[in-house]
Amino acid sequence: MKKKSNKITIPEAAEILGVSKATVTYWARTGHFKAEREKDRWVIDKKSLQEFKDSQFTGGNL
């Protein structure tokens, strides 16, 4: 059984937050949530994104 990842991609985060991929990339680059570069793409920590979402938007779980 594959272990569930605690990281998501920019497109996944954009869909969750209901914003553009460019907006999520900007927020990742400026430290609004925990994100890091893996090879040629950004990956975002789910828990950190959820905390950001809860502080900026109205509720909801990832």
Side-chain angles (χ1 to χ4, degrees):
M1 182 170 30
K2 188 176 179 180
K3 184 179 177 183
K4 188 174 180 180
S5 175
N6 65 339
K7 296 180 182 177
I8 60 172
T9 63
I10 293 286
E12 291 169 325
E15 187 173 327
I16 289 166
L17 298 175
V19 298
S20 72
K21 292 182 282 186
T23 297
V24 176
T25 301
Y26 172 77
W27 287 338
R29 288 177 191 238
T30 56
H32 285 75
F33 39 75
K34 292 180 186 175
E36 62 187 6
R37 296 282 291 177
E38 281 188 359
K39 298 184 182 180
D40 62 342
R41 67 181 185 157
W42 283 95
V43 290
I44 300 166
D45 178 78
K46 277 186 181 180
K47 183 178 178 184
S48 180
L49 185 70
Q50 183 64 53
E51 290 169 355
F52 173 76
K53 181 180 178 185
D54 290 346
S55 71
Q56 299 295 315
F57 303 94
T58 52
N61 289 325
L62 298 179

